[in-house]
């Protein structure tokens, strides 16, 4: 099985789990809604703390405090809901008759909230540092930031499953994720690449169809409706791919940590997809 074929096989296996447990998609939906509320709570007052004059915009100390809080809380919201998703994806993948639930996911993530908050602080700090490097060093900074960011995402890809399913802390979770990455990294990017590619193709196709229809049918009102539908379609695809990524992340953890291939992924040769190095 080639890499591209394996990518789509992993996508299909993740989709099979989602199709059997559609409720898992509620986690990214609720994360998006909560994220919008967080943005409103922090960015609105941040705007009013900025000093505006005819020459420039001058952020105040209060602006920076609010933006820092926004970064941290936003990261925590994303991580909390992803952790809840992973806890329930693991139940779905066990195949022992257990039924995942939204409330159970929130309860599981809630029990680990101090660690999740600590991990949010780490990820928010890394994001700020990478963005600063990109801004300060220009084109070279963009390359360095992209490479370091990719390495960071790959080596910490399994931190959340480890935190949720092993009960590890932040430091131990990162160390364990790096160990699993080194031992079975094979091509752990294959699954996420497949999910990302499908998401891109679906989004692109939706834009072509909807915006094309808007231009062909003519009329300002029609075009605005088609643009609105395209935005909704993009959000739906984002929910879809985020859920699939959480499922795949959990399946990869189970294989990397326990050598167990979840039933839905039985058709994929994990021993080849994630060869020991």
């Amino acid at each position: 099985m080639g890499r591209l074929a394996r990518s789509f096989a992993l996508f299909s296996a993740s989709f099979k789990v989602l199709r059997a447990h559609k409720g898992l998609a509620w986690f990214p939906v609720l994360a998006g809604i909560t994220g919008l509320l967080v943005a409103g709570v922090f960015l609105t007052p941040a705007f009013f703390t900025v000093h505006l004059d005819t020459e420039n915009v001058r952020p105040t100390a209060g602006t920076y405090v609010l933006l820092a809080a926004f970064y941290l809380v936003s990261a925590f919201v994303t991580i909390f809901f992803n952790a809840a998703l992973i806890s329930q994806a693991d139940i779905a993948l066990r195949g022992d008759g257990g039924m995942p639930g939204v409330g159970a996911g929130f309860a599981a993530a809630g029990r680990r909230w101090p660690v999740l908050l600590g991990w949010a602080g780490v990820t928010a700090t890394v994001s700020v540092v990478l963005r600063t490097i990109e801004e300060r060093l220009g084109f070279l900074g963009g390359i360095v930031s992209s490479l370091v960011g990719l390495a960071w995402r790959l080596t910490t890809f399994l931190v959340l499953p480890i935190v949720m399913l092993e009960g590890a802390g932040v430091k131990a979770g990162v160390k364990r994720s790096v160990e699993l990455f080194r031992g079975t990294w094979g091509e752990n990017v294959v699954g996420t690449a497949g999910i990302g590619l499908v998401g891109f193709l679906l989004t692109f196709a939706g834009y072509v169809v909807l915006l094309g229809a808007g231009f062909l049918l003519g009329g300002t009102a029609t075009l605005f409706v088609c643009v609105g539908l395209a935005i909704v379609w993009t959000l739906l695809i984002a929910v879809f791919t985020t859920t699939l990524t959480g499922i795949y992340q959990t399946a990869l953890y189970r294989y990397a940590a326990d050598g167990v291939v979840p039933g839905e992924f039985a058709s994929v040769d994990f021993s080849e997809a994630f060869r020991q190095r």
Side-chain angles (χ1 to χ4, degrees), residues 90-174:
D90 186 58
I91 293 176
L93 290 168
R94 287 179 197 167
D96 57 4
M99 289 299 295
V102 175
F106 289 154
R111 289 190 291 270
R112 303 292 293 153
W113 77 264
V115 179
L116 298 178
L117 180 60
W119 180 233
V122 171
T123 57
T125 301
V126 171
S127 296
V128 171
V129 170
L130 292 178
R131 179 170 296 183
T132 301
I133 292 174
E134 185 174 356
E135 292 176 351
R136 295 289 178 85
L137 300 181
F139 177 74
L140 178 61
I143 296 176
V144 172
S145 177
S146 297
L147 293 176
V148 174
L150 177 60
W152 172 258
R153 288 191 297 272
L154 290 176
T155 54
T156 61
F157 187 64
L158 297 178
V159 168
L160 273 185
I162 291 167
V163 166
M164 292 304 297
L165 305 179
E166 293 186 8
V170 173
K171 183 178 180 180
V174 172

Side-chain angles (χ1 to χ4, degrees), residues 174-196:
V174 172
K175 182 179 179 180
R176 173 81 165 137
S177 179
V178 172
E179 290 174 353
L180 293 179
F181 174 77
R182 289 173 177 172
T184 55
W185 78 278
E187 301 173 83
N188 81 3
V189 72
V190 167
T192 50
I195 293 172

Side-chain angles (χ1 to χ4, degrees), residues 14-249:
S14 301
F15 179 64
K16 187 184 299 182
V17 177
L18 176 58
R19 189 169 55 186
H21 303 280
K22 299 179 180 64
L24 293 174
W26 275 111
F27 292 108
V29 170
L30 296 173
I33 295 172
T34 305
L36 290 175
L37 294 175
V38 168
V41 168
F42 287 99
L43 296 186
T44 300
F47 174 79
F48 288 103
T49 63
V50 174
H51 287 165
L52 301 174
D53 55 43
T54 57
E55 295 182 356
N56 54 27
V57 176
R58 294 182 293 112
T60 64
T63 306
Y64 288 116
V65 169
L66 287 169
L67 290 178
F70 170 67
Y71 265 105
L72 177 61
V73 176
S74 294
F76 177 70
V77 166
T78 300
I79 287 170
F80 183 88
F81 282 90
N82 283 343
L85 168 60
I86 286 169
S87 73
Q88 299 311 292
D90 186 58
I91 293 176
L93 290 168
R94 287 179 197 167
D96 57 4
M99 289 299 295
V102 175
F106 289 154
R111 289 190 291 270
R112 303 292 293 153
W113 77 264
V115 179
L116 298 178
L117 180 60
W119 180 233
V122 171
T123 57
T125 301
V126 171
S127 296
V128 171
V129 170
L130 292 178
R131 179 170 296 183
T132 301
I133 292 174
E134 185 174 356
E135 292 176 351
R136 295 289 178 85
L137 300 181
F139 177 74
L140 178 61
I143 296 176
V144 172
S145 177
S146 297
L147 293 176
V148 174
L150 177 60
W152 172 258
R153 288 191 297 272
L154 290 176
T155 54
T156 61
F157 187 64
L158 297 178
V159 168
L160 273 185
I162 291 167
V163 166
M164 292 304 297
L165 305 179
E166 293 186 8
V170 173
K171 183 178 180 180
V174 172
K175 182 179 179 180
R176 173 81 165 137
S177 179
V178 172
E179 290 174 353
L180 293 179
F181 174 77
R182 289 173 177 172
T184 55
W185 78 278
E187 301 173 83
N188 81 3
V189 72
V190 167
T192 50
I195 293 172
L197 179 59
V198 171
F200 170 78
L201 293 175
L202 289 174
T203 302
F204 180 75
Y207 268 78
V208 169
V209 171
L210 291 169
L211 296 184
F215 282 111
L216 289 175
L217 294 175
T220 303
T222 301
L223 183 59
F224 272 109
V225 169
C226 289
V227 170
L229 291 175
I231 294 173
V232 171
W233 174 253
T234 302
L235 294 175
L236 291 175
I237 296 302
V239 168
F240 178 62
T241 55
T242 300
T243 309
L244 292 185
T245 299
I247 293 170
Y248 169 70
Q249 193 175 8

